[in-house]
Short mmCIF file of all heavy atoms in Angstrom, two decimals:
data_model
loop_
_atom_site.label_atom_id
_atom_site.label_comp_id
_atom_site.label_asym_id
_atom_site.label_seq_id
_atom_site.Cartn_x
_atom_site.Cartn_y
_atom_site.Cartn_z
N GLY A 978 -160.50 54.16 46.80
CA GLY A 978 -160.29 55.18 45.84
C GLY A 978 -161.58 55.41 45.14
O GLY A 978 -162.50 54.69 45.08
N THR A 979 -161.53 56.65 44.54
CA THR A 979 -162.78 57.04 43.79
C THR A 979 -162.45 57.02 42.32
O THR A 979 -161.32 57.40 41.87
CB THR A 979 -163.08 58.50 44.18
OG1 THR A 979 -163.34 58.56 45.62
CG2 THR A 979 -164.35 58.95 43.47
N ARG A 980 -163.30 56.48 41.60
CA ARG A 980 -163.11 56.37 40.10
C ARG A 980 -164.00 57.49 39.44
O ARG A 980 -165.13 57.78 39.84
CB ARG A 980 -163.68 55.08 39.50
CG ARG A 980 -162.69 53.89 39.74
CD ARG A 980 -163.20 52.75 38.94
NE ARG A 980 -162.05 51.82 38.89
CZ ARG A 980 -162.17 50.65 38.25
NH1 ARG A 980 -163.34 50.38 37.58
NH2 ARG A 980 -161.15 49.88 38.20
N ILE A 981 -163.34 58.13 38.37
CA ILE A 981 -164.09 59.08 37.64
C ILE A 981 -164.47 58.43 36.35
O ILE A 981 -163.65 57.84 35.64
CB ILE A 981 -163.25 60.38 37.31
CG1 ILE A 981 -162.80 61.01 38.62
CG2 ILE A 981 -163.96 61.30 36.38
CD1 ILE A 981 -161.84 62.13 38.44
N ILE A 982 -165.75 58.41 36.04
CA ILE A 982 -166.28 57.72 34.85
C ILE A 982 -166.88 58.73 33.95
O ILE A 982 -167.72 59.58 34.28
CB ILE A 982 -167.38 56.63 35.18
CG1 ILE A 982 -166.71 55.57 36.16
CG2 ILE A 982 -167.98 55.95 33.99
CD1 ILE A 982 -167.71 54.60 36.75
N TYR A 983 -166.31 58.72 32.68
CA TYR A 983 -166.80 59.71 31.64
C TYR A 983 -167.71 58.91 30.65
O TYR A 983 -167.32 57.79 30.24
CB TYR A 983 -165.65 60.33 30.93
CG TYR A 983 -164.75 61.12 31.82
CD1 TYR A 983 -163.53 60.61 32.22
CD2 TYR A 983 -165.06 62.34 32.26
CE1 TYR A 983 -162.73 61.40 33.01
CE2 TYR A 983 -164.33 63.11 33.15
CZ TYR A 983 -163.07 62.65 33.44
OH TYR A 983 -162.28 63.34 34.26
N ASP A 984 -168.77 59.58 30.16
CA ASP A 984 -169.58 58.93 29.16
C ASP A 984 -168.99 59.22 27.80
O ASP A 984 -168.20 60.05 27.62
CB ASP A 984 -171.03 59.34 29.31
CG ASP A 984 -171.19 60.85 29.07
OD1 ASP A 984 -170.27 61.59 29.12
OD2 ASP A 984 -172.41 61.23 28.76
N ARG A 985 -169.41 58.47 26.81
CA ARG A 985 -168.88 58.48 25.50
C ARG A 985 -169.15 59.91 24.91
O ARG A 985 -168.14 60.48 24.21
CB ARG A 985 -169.49 57.44 24.62
CG ARG A 985 -168.95 57.35 23.19
CD ARG A 985 -169.59 56.31 22.41
NE ARG A 985 -168.94 56.02 21.20
CZ ARG A 985 -169.11 56.72 20.08
NH1 ARG A 985 -169.85 57.78 20.14
NH2 ARG A 985 -168.41 56.47 18.94
N LYS A 986 -170.28 60.43 25.10
CA LYS A 986 -170.57 61.75 24.46
C LYS A 986 -169.57 62.84 24.91
O LYS A 986 -169.11 63.66 24.10
CB LYS A 986 -172.09 62.14 24.85
CG LYS A 986 -172.49 63.47 24.22
CD LYS A 986 -173.93 63.78 24.65
CE LYS A 986 -174.17 65.23 24.17
NZ LYS A 986 -175.18 65.86 24.94
N PHE A 987 -169.33 62.88 26.22
CA PHE A 987 -168.44 63.87 26.80
C PHE A 987 -167.01 63.73 26.18
O PHE A 987 -166.34 64.72 25.76
CB PHE A 987 -168.36 63.82 28.34
CG PHE A 987 -167.42 64.64 28.91
CD1 PHE A 987 -167.63 65.97 29.08
CD2 PHE A 987 -166.16 64.12 29.44
CE1 PHE A 987 -166.68 66.79 29.59
CE2 PHE A 987 -165.22 64.95 29.94
CZ PHE A 987 -165.44 66.29 30.04
N LEU A 988 -166.53 62.43 26.13
CA LEU A 988 -165.22 62.18 25.56
C LEU A 988 -165.10 62.65 24.07
O LEU A 988 -164.10 63.15 23.62
CB LEU A 988 -164.75 60.77 25.74
CG LEU A 988 -164.64 60.34 27.19
CD1 LEU A 988 -164.33 58.82 27.30
CD2 LEU A 988 -163.47 61.12 27.83
N MET A 989 -166.25 62.38 23.34
CA MET A 989 -166.17 62.72 21.91
C MET A 989 -166.22 64.27 21.71
O MET A 989 -165.59 64.73 20.79
CB MET A 989 -167.37 62.04 21.22
CG MET A 989 -167.34 60.60 21.14
SD MET A 989 -165.90 59.91 20.32
CE MET A 989 -166.45 60.04 18.67
N GLU A 990 -166.87 64.93 22.66
CA GLU A 990 -166.90 66.44 22.56
C GLU A 990 -165.40 66.93 22.99
O GLU A 990 -164.96 67.97 22.40
CB GLU A 990 -167.89 67.06 23.54
CG GLU A 990 -169.32 66.68 22.97
CD GLU A 990 -170.40 67.14 24.04
OE1 GLU A 990 -169.98 67.61 25.17
OE2 GLU A 990 -171.59 66.99 23.76
N CYS A 991 -164.83 66.35 23.95
CA CYS A 991 -163.41 66.72 24.33
C CYS A 991 -162.45 66.53 23.19
O CYS A 991 -161.53 67.35 23.02
CB CYS A 991 -162.98 65.95 25.55
SG CYS A 991 -163.86 66.46 27.01
N ARG A 992 -162.67 65.53 22.31
CA ARG A 992 -161.75 65.27 21.22
C ARG A 992 -161.64 66.50 20.23
O ARG A 992 -160.66 66.74 19.71
CB ARG A 992 -162.24 64.08 20.47
CG ARG A 992 -161.36 63.69 19.27
CD ARG A 992 -161.90 62.45 18.67
NE ARG A 992 -163.02 62.58 17.97
CZ ARG A 992 -163.57 61.79 17.13
NH1 ARG A 992 -163.03 60.66 16.86
NH2 ARG A 992 -164.75 62.01 16.51
N ASP A 993 -162.73 67.20 20.09
CA ASP A 993 -162.75 68.38 19.17
C ASP A 993 -162.34 69.66 19.80
O ASP A 993 -162.31 70.72 19.13
CB ASP A 993 -164.15 68.42 18.54
CG ASP A 993 -164.48 67.30 17.67
OD1 ASP A 993 -163.60 66.67 17.11
OD2 ASP A 993 -165.78 66.92 17.65
N SER A 994 -162.05 69.57 21.06
CA SER A 994 -161.68 70.92 21.79
C SER A 994 -160.30 71.41 21.29
O SER A 994 -159.41 70.66 20.94
CB SER A 994 -161.53 70.54 23.26
OG SER A 994 -160.90 71.56 23.95
N PRO A 995 -160.17 72.71 21.16
CA PRO A 995 -158.78 73.25 20.68
C PRO A 995 -157.72 72.96 21.70
O PRO A 995 -156.58 72.82 21.32
CB PRO A 995 -159.08 74.78 20.70
CG PRO A 995 -160.59 74.91 20.79
CD PRO A 995 -161.12 73.72 21.32
N VAL A 996 -158.02 72.70 22.93
CA VAL A 996 -157.01 72.43 23.96
C VAL A 996 -156.42 71.03 23.62
O VAL A 996 -155.30 70.73 23.81
CB VAL A 996 -157.56 72.45 25.36
CG1 VAL A 996 -156.58 71.96 26.38
CG2 VAL A 996 -158.08 73.83 25.66
N ALA A 997 -157.28 70.16 23.13
CA ALA A 997 -156.79 68.66 22.82
C ALA A 997 -155.91 68.65 21.62
O ALA A 997 -155.20 67.72 21.41
CB ALA A 997 -158.00 67.85 22.63
N LYS A 998 -155.93 69.79 20.75
CA LYS A 998 -155.21 69.79 19.48
C LYS A 998 -153.87 70.52 19.65
O LYS A 998 -153.10 70.50 18.67
CB LYS A 998 -156.11 70.35 18.48
CG LYS A 998 -157.30 69.46 18.09
CD LYS A 998 -158.09 70.08 17.01
CE LYS A 998 -159.33 69.17 16.83
NZ LYS A 998 -160.14 69.56 15.73
N THR A 999 -153.64 71.11 20.80
CA THR A 999 -152.36 71.90 20.89
C THR A 999 -151.46 71.05 21.89
O THR A 999 -151.89 70.55 22.86
CB THR A 999 -152.64 73.24 21.52
OG1 THR A 999 -153.36 73.15 22.71
CG2 THR A 999 -153.39 74.07 20.51
N PRO A 1000 -150.08 70.98 21.56
CA PRO A 1000 -149.22 70.32 22.52
C PRO A 1000 -149.01 71.17 23.74
O PRO A 1000 -149.17 72.34 23.80
CB PRO A 1000 -147.93 70.25 21.70
CG PRO A 1000 -148.04 71.32 20.69
CD PRO A 1000 -149.44 71.54 20.43
N PRO A 1001 -148.61 70.51 24.90
CA PRO A 1001 -148.32 71.24 26.11
C PRO A 1001 -147.21 72.30 25.87
O PRO A 1001 -146.33 72.09 25.11
CB PRO A 1001 -147.94 70.10 27.03
CG PRO A 1001 -148.29 68.86 26.45
CD PRO A 1001 -148.43 69.04 25.06
N SER A 1002 -147.35 73.44 26.59
CA SER A 1002 -146.32 74.47 26.45
C SER A 1002 -144.90 74.17 26.95
O SER A 1002 -143.93 74.65 26.41
CB SER A 1002 -146.76 75.74 27.06
OG SER A 1002 -146.98 75.58 28.44
N ASP A 1003 -144.89 73.28 27.90
CA ASP A 1003 -143.57 72.90 28.57
C ASP A 1003 -142.94 71.65 27.98
O ASP A 1003 -142.07 71.01 28.55
CB ASP A 1003 -143.77 72.80 30.07
CG ASP A 1003 -144.75 71.74 30.47
OD1 ASP A 1003 -145.51 71.33 29.61
OD2 ASP A 1003 -144.76 71.43 31.63
N LEU A 1004 -143.48 71.17 26.85
CA LEU A 1004 -142.87 69.91 26.19
C LEU A 1004 -141.58 70.14 25.70
O LEU A 1004 -141.29 71.10 24.93
CB LEU A 1004 -143.82 69.52 25.03
CG LEU A 1004 -143.83 68.16 24.55
CD1 LEU A 1004 -144.25 67.13 25.55
CD2 LEU A 1004 -144.75 67.99 23.29
N PRO A 1005 -140.52 69.22 26.01
CA PRO A 1005 -139.19 69.48 25.51
C PRO A 1005 -139.17 69.18 24.00
O PRO A 1005 -139.94 68.49 23.42
CB PRO A 1005 -138.39 68.45 26.33
CG PRO A 1005 -139.34 67.46 26.63
CD PRO A 1005 -140.71 68.06 26.81
N ASP A 1006 -138.14 69.86 23.35
CA ASP A 1006 -137.99 69.70 21.88
C ASP A 1006 -136.97 68.51 21.67
O ASP A 1006 -135.83 68.56 21.87
CB ASP A 1006 -137.35 70.97 21.39
CG ASP A 1006 -137.25 70.95 19.83
OD1 ASP A 1006 -138.02 70.15 19.20
OD2 ASP A 1006 -136.32 71.62 19.34
N ILE A 1007 -137.58 67.41 21.26
CA ILE A 1007 -136.78 66.13 20.91
C ILE A 1007 -137.00 65.84 19.44
O ILE A 1007 -138.16 65.48 19.03
CB ILE A 1007 -137.26 65.00 21.76
CG1 ILE A 1007 -137.20 65.33 23.25
CG2 ILE A 1007 -136.47 63.75 21.50
CD1 ILE A 1007 -137.90 64.33 24.20
N PRO A 1008 -135.98 66.09 18.59
CA PRO A 1008 -136.19 65.90 17.16
C PRO A 1008 -136.51 64.51 16.88
O PRO A 1008 -135.95 63.56 17.39
CB PRO A 1008 -134.75 66.21 16.62
CG PRO A 1008 -134.15 67.07 17.66
CD PRO A 1008 -134.70 66.65 18.98
N GLY A 1009 -137.48 64.31 16.05
CA GLY A 1009 -137.99 62.99 15.65
C GLY A 1009 -139.03 62.43 16.64
O GLY A 1009 -139.67 61.40 16.31
N VAL A 1010 -139.23 63.03 17.74
CA VAL A 1010 -140.18 62.54 18.75
C VAL A 1010 -141.27 63.61 18.93
O VAL A 1010 -142.46 63.41 18.62
CB VAL A 1010 -139.61 62.15 20.09
CG1 VAL A 1010 -140.60 61.68 21.10
CG2 VAL A 1010 -138.45 61.08 19.87
N THR A 1011 -140.97 64.70 19.50
CA THR A 1011 -141.92 65.82 19.77
C THR A 1011 -141.87 66.83 18.66
O THR A 1011 -142.77 67.67 18.58
CB THR A 1011 -141.74 66.44 21.13
OG1 THR A 1011 -140.35 66.97 21.12
CG2 THR A 1011 -141.83 65.49 22.25
N SER A 1012 -140.86 66.85 17.79
CA SER A 1012 -140.84 67.75 16.68
C SER A 1012 -140.32 66.96 15.57
O SER A 1012 -139.47 66.00 15.70
CB SER A 1012 -139.97 68.98 16.93
OG SER A 1012 -138.66 68.61 17.13
N PRO A 1013 -140.60 67.35 14.34
CA PRO A 1013 -140.09 66.53 13.11
C PRO A 1013 -138.56 66.63 13.09
O PRO A 1013 -137.96 67.63 13.29
CB PRO A 1013 -140.76 67.18 11.91
CG PRO A 1013 -141.77 68.13 12.40
CD PRO A 1013 -141.49 68.37 13.88
N ASN A 1014 -137.89 65.51 12.75
CA ASN A 1014 -136.55 65.47 12.57
C ASN A 1014 -136.16 66.17 11.24
O ASN A 1014 -136.88 66.14 10.30
CB ASN A 1014 -136.09 64.00 12.40
CG ASN A 1014 -134.63 63.83 12.59
OD1 ASN A 1014 -133.82 64.67 12.59
ND2 ASN A 1014 -134.20 62.51 12.65
N VAL A 1015 -135.04 66.86 11.28
CA VAL A 1015 -134.61 67.63 9.99
C VAL A 1015 -134.43 66.71 8.86
O VAL A 1015 -134.90 67.04 7.78
CB VAL A 1015 -133.27 68.38 10.36
CG1 VAL A 1015 -132.81 69.12 9.11
CG2 VAL A 1015 -133.47 69.34 11.47
N GLU A 1016 -133.91 65.48 9.06
CA GLU A 1016 -133.75 64.62 7.98
C GLU A 1016 -135.12 64.11 7.41
O GLU A 1016 -135.39 63.99 6.23
CB GLU A 1016 -132.86 63.43 8.42
CG GLU A 1016 -131.50 63.78 8.68
CD GLU A 1016 -130.67 62.58 9.24
OE1 GLU A 1016 -131.24 61.54 9.32
OE2 GLU A 1016 -129.52 62.83 9.65
N GLU A 1017 -136.04 63.93 8.35
CA GLU A 1017 -137.37 63.41 7.96
C GLU A 1017 -138.08 64.50 7.12
O GLU A 1017 -138.70 64.20 6.19
CB GLU A 1017 -138.26 63.08 9.28
CG GLU A 1017 -137.84 61.91 9.92
CD GLU A 1017 -138.60 61.61 11.20
OE1 GLU A 1017 -139.57 62.46 11.52
OE2 GLU A 1017 -138.35 60.64 11.88
N LEU A 1018 -137.89 65.78 7.54
CA LEU A 1018 -138.49 66.89 6.69
C LEU A 1018 -137.92 66.91 5.28
O LEU A 1018 -138.66 67.10 4.36
CB LEU A 1018 -138.30 68.19 7.41
CG LEU A 1018 -139.08 68.44 8.61
CD1 LEU A 1018 -138.65 69.81 9.38
CD2 LEU A 1018 -140.52 68.51 8.35
N LYS A 1019 -136.62 66.73 5.20
CA LYS A 1019 -136.03 66.68 3.84
C LYS A 1019 -136.54 65.52 3.03
O LYS A 1019 -136.88 65.71 1.85
CB LYS A 1019 -134.45 66.57 3.95
CG LYS A 1019 -133.84 67.79 4.52
CD LYS A 1019 -132.30 67.66 4.59
CE LYS A 1019 -131.68 68.84 5.23
NZ LYS A 1019 -130.24 68.65 5.36
N ILE A 1020 -136.64 64.33 3.64
CA ILE A 1020 -137.12 63.15 2.91
C ILE A 1020 -138.59 63.44 2.53
O ILE A 1020 -139.00 63.12 1.38
CB ILE A 1020 -137.04 61.95 3.82
CG1 ILE A 1020 -135.56 61.59 3.94
CG2 ILE A 1020 -137.77 60.79 3.21
CD1 ILE A 1020 -135.27 60.46 4.97
N GLU A 1021 -139.40 63.98 3.49
CA GLU A 1021 -140.79 64.18 3.14
C GLU A 1021 -141.02 65.26 2.04
O GLU A 1021 -141.77 64.96 1.18
CB GLU A 1021 -141.51 64.69 4.45
CG GLU A 1021 -143.01 64.90 4.21
CD GLU A 1021 -143.67 65.26 5.52
OE1 GLU A 1021 -143.36 64.73 6.62
OE2 GLU A 1021 -144.45 66.21 5.46
N ASN A 1022 -140.19 66.27 2.10
CA ASN A 1022 -140.30 67.25 0.99
C ASN A 1022 -139.85 66.71 -0.36
O ASN A 1022 -140.41 66.93 -1.42
CB ASN A 1022 -139.41 68.50 1.29
CG ASN A 1022 -140.02 69.30 2.39
OD1 ASN A 1022 -141.24 69.24 2.63
ND2 ASN A 1022 -139.21 70.12 3.06
N ASN A 1023 -138.86 65.87 -0.30
CA ASN A 1023 -138.35 65.25 -1.55
C ASN A 1023 -139.41 64.31 -2.05
O ASN A 1023 -139.59 64.21 -3.23
CB ASN A 1023 -136.99 64.51 -1.21
CG ASN A 1023 -136.26 64.03 -2.54
OD1 ASN A 1023 -136.61 64.43 -3.66
ND2 ASN A 1023 -135.43 63.07 -2.40
N HIS A 1024 -140.04 63.54 -1.17
CA HIS A 1024 -141.04 62.51 -1.56
C HIS A 1024 -142.21 63.32 -2.22
O HIS A 1024 -142.74 62.81 -3.19
CB HIS A 1024 -141.50 61.83 -0.22
CG HIS A 1024 -142.52 60.80 -0.52
ND1 HIS A 1024 -142.36 59.72 -1.21
CD2 HIS A 1024 -143.88 60.83 -0.28
CE1 HIS A 1024 -143.50 59.03 -1.37
NE2 HIS A 1024 -144.44 59.72 -0.75
N VAL A 1025 -142.64 64.44 -1.60
CA VAL A 1025 -143.73 65.20 -2.17
C VAL A 1025 -143.33 65.76 -3.60
O VAL A 1025 -144.16 65.59 -4.44
CB VAL A 1025 -144.13 66.41 -1.29
CG1 VAL A 1025 -145.06 67.33 -1.90
CG2 VAL A 1025 -144.76 65.89 0.02
N GLN A 1026 -142.15 66.14 -3.78
CA GLN A 1026 -141.72 66.63 -5.12
C GLN A 1026 -141.70 65.46 -6.10
O GLN A 1026 -142.09 65.67 -7.28
CB GLN A 1026 -140.36 67.26 -5.01
CG GLN A 1026 -140.30 68.56 -4.24
CD GLN A 1026 -138.97 69.15 -3.96
OE1 GLN A 1026 -137.98 68.48 -4.29
NE2 GLN A 1026 -138.91 70.31 -3.44
N ASN A 1027 -141.18 64.30 -5.62
CA ASN A 1027 -141.17 63.15 -6.56
C ASN A 1027 -142.59 62.72 -6.97
O ASN A 1027 -142.71 62.39 -8.11
CB ASN A 1027 -140.39 61.97 -5.88
CG ASN A 1027 -138.92 62.23 -5.75
OD1 ASN A 1027 -138.37 63.07 -6.52
ND2 ASN A 1027 -138.30 61.40 -4.83
N CYS A 1028 -143.52 62.75 -6.07
CA CYS A 1028 -144.85 62.40 -6.38
C CYS A 1028 -145.43 63.37 -7.40
O CYS A 1028 -146.13 62.98 -8.28
CB CYS A 1028 -145.76 62.33 -5.14
SG CYS A 1028 -145.37 60.95 -4.02
N ASP A 1029 -145.17 64.72 -7.18
CA ASP A 1029 -145.69 65.64 -8.14
C ASP A 1029 -145.06 65.46 -9.58
O ASP A 1029 -145.75 65.60 -10.45
CB ASP A 1029 -145.37 67.08 -7.63
CG ASP A 1029 -146.18 67.49 -6.36
OD1 ASP A 1029 -147.14 66.78 -6.11
OD2 ASP A 1029 -145.69 68.40 -5.67
N GLU A 1030 -143.85 65.12 -9.54
CA GLU A 1030 -143.19 64.89 -10.84
C GLU A 1030 -143.75 63.63 -11.57
O GLU A 1030 -144.06 63.72 -12.80
CB GLU A 1030 -141.70 64.65 -10.64
CG GLU A 1030 -140.95 65.87 -10.24
CD GLU A 1030 -139.45 65.57 -9.97
OE1 GLU A 1030 -139.05 64.41 -10.07
OE2 GLU A 1030 -138.80 66.55 -9.48
N LYS A 1031 -144.04 62.61 -10.86
CA LYS A 1031 -144.67 61.41 -11.40
C LYS A 1031 -146.08 61.67 -11.98
O LYS A 1031 -146.45 61.26 -13.07
CB LYS A 1031 -144.74 60.28 -10.33
CG LYS A 1031 -143.46 59.73 -10.02
CD LYS A 1031 -143.64 58.57 -8.99
CE LYS A 1031 -142.27 58.09 -8.51
NZ LYS A 1031 -142.49 57.11 -7.45
N VAL A 1032 -146.83 62.37 -11.23
CA VAL A 1032 -148.14 62.79 -11.66
C VAL A 1032 -148.11 63.66 -12.97
O VAL A 1032 -148.86 63.48 -13.91
CB VAL A 1032 -148.98 63.42 -10.57
CG1 VAL A 1032 -150.31 63.95 -11.06
CG2 VAL A 1032 -149.19 62.40 -9.40
N SER A 1033 -147.24 64.61 -12.93
CA SER A 1033 -147.16 65.55 -14.08
C SER A 1033 -146.64 64.83 -15.33
O SER A 1033 -146.90 65.23 -16.50
CB SER A 1033 -146.32 66.73 -13.68
OG SER A 1033 -145.00 66.29 -13.52
N ALA A 1034 -145.87 63.76 -15.11
CA ALA A 1034 -145.30 63.06 -16.30
C ALA A 1034 -146.28 61.99 -16.89
O ALA A 1034 -146.09 61.44 -17.93
CB ALA A 1034 -143.97 62.20 -15.85
N GLY A 1035 -147.44 61.87 -16.21
CA GLY A 1035 -148.49 60.98 -16.74
C GLY A 1035 -148.32 59.54 -16.22
O GLY A 1035 -149.17 58.72 -16.60
N GLU A 1036 -147.33 59.32 -15.44
CA GLU A 1036 -147.05 57.96 -14.90
C GLU A 1036 -147.63 57.98 -13.47
O GLU A 1036 -147.13 58.60 -12.58
CB GLU A 1036 -145.60 57.64 -14.83
CG GLU A 1036 -144.88 57.53 -16.12
CD GLU A 1036 -143.44 57.32 -16.00
OE1 GLU A 1036 -142.97 56.98 -14.94
OE2 GLU A 1036 -142.80 57.39 -16.93
N GLU A 1037 -148.73 57.24 -13.26
CA GLU A 1037 -149.41 57.23 -11.97
C GLU A 1037 -149.33 55.79 -11.39
O GLU A 1037 -149.90 54.88 -12.06
CB GLU A 1037 -150.81 57.68 -12.06
CG GLU A 1037 -151.41 57.93 -10.81
CD GLU A 1037 -152.79 58.64 -10.88
OE1 GLU A 1037 -152.97 59.45 -11.85
OE2 GLU A 1037 -153.68 58.36 -10.21
N GLU A 1038 -148.64 55.66 -10.31
CA GLU A 1038 -148.55 54.38 -9.70
C GLU A 1038 -149.88 54.03 -8.78
O GLU A 1038 -150.45 54.96 -8.29
CB GLU A 1038 -147.33 54.31 -8.85
CG GLU A 1038 -146.05 54.33 -9.56
CD GLU A 1038 -144.88 54.16 -8.65
OE1 GLU A 1038 -145.03 53.68 -7.51
OE2 GLU A 1038 -143.76 54.56 -9.05
N GLN A 1039 -150.18 52.89 -8.70
CA GLN A 1039 -151.35 52.45 -7.94
C GLN A 1039 -151.05 52.61 -6.41
O GLN A 1039 -151.93 53.05 -5.73
CB GLN A 1039 -151.77 51.10 -8.26
CG GLN A 1039 -153.08 50.69 -7.58
CD GLN A 1039 -153.54 49.39 -7.99
OE1 GLN A 1039 -152.90 48.66 -8.85
NE2 GLN A 1039 -154.72 48.93 -7.57
N PHE A 1040 -149.91 52.10 -6.03
CA PHE A 1040 -149.50 52.19 -4.62
C PHE A 1040 -148.16 52.86 -4.53
O PHE A 1040 -147.27 52.61 -5.27
CB PHE A 1040 -149.43 50.73 -4.10
CG PHE A 1040 -150.67 50.08 -4.07
CD1 PHE A 1040 -150.83 49.02 -4.99
CD2 PHE A 1040 -151.69 50.33 -3.26
CE1 PHE A 1040 -152.00 48.26 -4.98
CE2 PHE A 1040 -152.97 49.60 -3.27
CZ PHE A 1040 -153.02 48.58 -4.19
N ASP A 1041 -148.05 53.70 -3.47
CA ASP A 1041 -146.85 54.48 -3.22
C ASP A 1041 -146.15 53.77 -2.06
O ASP A 1041 -146.68 53.73 -0.99
CB ASP A 1041 -147.16 55.92 -2.94
CG ASP A 1041 -145.95 56.77 -2.94
OD1 ASP A 1041 -144.93 56.40 -3.61
OD2 ASP A 1041 -145.93 57.90 -2.37
N MET A 1042 -144.89 53.33 -2.24
CA MET A 1042 -144.22 52.58 -1.24
C MET A 1042 -142.99 53.38 -0.72
O MET A 1042 -142.23 53.89 -1.56
CB MET A 1042 -143.82 51.20 -1.64
CG MET A 1042 -144.95 50.28 -1.98
SD MET A 1042 -144.52 48.72 -2.64
CE MET A 1042 -143.31 48.11 -1.39
N ASP A 1043 -142.82 53.39 0.57
CA ASP A 1043 -141.64 53.98 1.17
C ASP A 1043 -140.60 52.89 1.55
O ASP A 1043 -141.06 51.94 2.29
CB ASP A 1043 -141.96 54.86 2.44
CG ASP A 1043 -142.77 56.00 2.11
OD1 ASP A 1043 -142.58 56.57 0.98
OD2 ASP A 1043 -143.53 56.44 2.92
N ILE A 1044 -139.44 52.95 1.07
CA ILE A 1044 -138.51 51.88 1.40
C ILE A 1044 -137.39 52.42 2.23
O ILE A 1044 -136.87 53.50 2.05
CB ILE A 1044 -137.85 51.28 0.10
CG1 ILE A 1044 -138.97 50.69 -0.71
CG2 ILE A 1044 -136.81 50.33 0.49
CD1 ILE A 1044 -138.50 50.17 -2.06
#
C-alpha cells in the first residue's frame, strides 16, 4: 500500500479552510448529535438568561456549574 504523509504546515492551513468549517451537505439530522436537541437549546437559553440576571443583580459567582 501507499501512504500519504502530510506535513504539519499543510494540515494547519487546512484547518482554517472554509470547507473544514462547514458540515457535509448529506449529513442526516439527528437531534442532539448532528443538530442541537430542542431541550438542550431551551436549557442553554435559560442558562444564558440566568447568567445575565446574576450579573445584573451584582452577584457574580467565581465558577459556573451545570448540574
Side-chain angles (χ1 to χ4, degrees):
T979 304
R980 283 189 165 182
I981 299 174
I982 300 174
Y983 298 104
D984 63 342
R985 184 179 190 281
K986 181 183 175 203
F987 175 76
L988 292 174
M989 295 302 280
E990 290 172 359
C991 288
R992 180 177 69 169
D993 296 328
S994 168
V996 175
K998 296 181 181 186
T999 56
S1002 60
D1003 58 347
L1004 197 65
D1006 184 27
I1007 304 171
V1010 178
T1011 58
S1012 65
N1014 194 351
V1015 175
E1016 294 174 6
E1017 290 176 1
L1018 287 174
K1019 289 180 184 177
I1020 291 171
E1021 185 177 315
N1022 287 339
N1023 189 19
H1024 179 72
V1025 168
Q1026 290 173 354
N1027 288 342
C1028 288
D1029 290 342
E1030 291 173 4
K1031 288 179 184 176
V1032 171
S1033 65
E1036 298 175 11
E1037 190 172 326
E1038 295 184 19
Q1039 185 174 3
F1040 299 105
D1041 192 23
M1042 295 177 53
D1043 293 329
I1044 299 176

